[in-house]
Amino acid sequence: MSPAFSTTVGALRLREWRLGPGQPTFVLDQFNEQDFNLVVDDRADVHVNSKDGRFYLGWFPLGRPGTSGEGWKIAVTGTAKEPGYHISFDTETPADIVAAAVARVLETSRRV
């Protein structure tokens, strides 16, 4: 008996995977001026926050300072009763993957 399993290339169902950072506009175009502030700093990093200050998105094309290749940061501040959360993606994460995460976060928000 062989300790490994055997297969064929055909059985592996090879796939092509999206790679590379893609277009950041897929992410940034989801925000409107009415509900969000956008700032581009002197490093060309982009920061988006909600008018109430509880949502933050940072895009760091060259990597977030002080991190190891963090390219995107999403953070939602919690309340007195519920903790907040944050999500990070590296600089090579495809923008449409980040856009999907941002879209879902925005879908779960509501005006009060």
Side-chain angles (χ1 to χ4, degrees), residues 6-27:
S6 65
T7 189
T8 65
V9 171
L12 290 176
R13 295 183 174 212
L14 297 176
R15 303 177 66 99
E16 185 174 308
W17 296 93
R18 168 108 22 170
L19 298 173
Q23 294 295 321
T25 55
F26 293 154
V27 178

Side-chain angles (χ1 to χ4, degrees), residues 32-102:
N32 62 57
E33 225 175 78
Q34 180 182 358
D35 297 319
F36 297 91
N37 299 310
L38 180 131
V39 172
V40 180
D41 67 20
D42 61 342
R43 283 178 24 104
D45 295 335
V46 177
H47 308 274
V48 177
N49 67 317
S50 59
K51 297 282 183 173
D52 68 359
R54 294 197 45 220
F55 172 88
Y56 170 79
L57 169 84
W59 175 46
F60 309 91
L62 301 176
R64 185 174 178 202
T67 69
S68 180
E70 184 178 63
W72 296 91
K73 178 75 166 189
I74 301 168
V76 177
T77 303
T79 66
K81 295 182 181 183
E82 294 289 330
Y85 59 91
H86 59 91
I87 308 164
S88 296
F89 299 94
D90 68 28
T91 56
E92 292 301 311
T93 301
D96 43 350
I97 301 297
V98 179
V102 167

